[in-house]
Amino acid sequence: VEKFRLAKAVKQEAFALRQIANISIRLGINPQIIELYKSILEKYRSISDRRGEANTLQDLGNVLADKGEWECAIQIHTIER
């Protein structure tokens, strides 16, 4: 039961951080946004949340594409398909 509670808290934390990151990008406030997405990705992976992981990878790939980092964006968008 405790493990379930912990996983739920991690999932909620990761979701909240992802929303903050997405809003920050829209507002143009994105210093270290790539690092933030990577930390969010690790949270989802730590609880084996494949949907959260996939959504975060998509967000990260989009940010990299917007920055013109095409090779990295392509790698992110095609990871583990």
Side-chain angles (χ1 to χ4, degrees), residues 47-64:
I47 58 169
S48 300
D49 184 330
R50 299 290 285 166
R51 179 175 287 175
E53 182 180 345
N55 289 333
T56 304
L57 284 169
Q58 181 177 0
D59 293 340
L60 181 56
N62 291 340
V63 168
L64 291 167

Side-chain angles (χ1 to χ4, degrees), residues 37-79:
Y37 276 123
K38 287 179 180 178
S39 72
I40 296 166
L41 186 58
E42 290 307 311
K43 289 182 187 306
Y44 280 124
R45 285 180 173 163
S46 76
I47 58 169
S48 300
D49 184 330
R50 299 290 285 166
R51 179 175 287 175
E53 182 180 345
N55 289 333
T56 304
L57 284 169
Q58 181 177 0
D59 293 340
L60 181 56
N62 291 340
V63 168
L64 291 167
D66 288 346
K67 293 181 110 184
E69 296 181 28
W70 299 107
E71 290 300 317
C72 291
I74 290 168
Q75 288 176 349
I76 293 293
H77 278 295
T78 58
I79 201 165

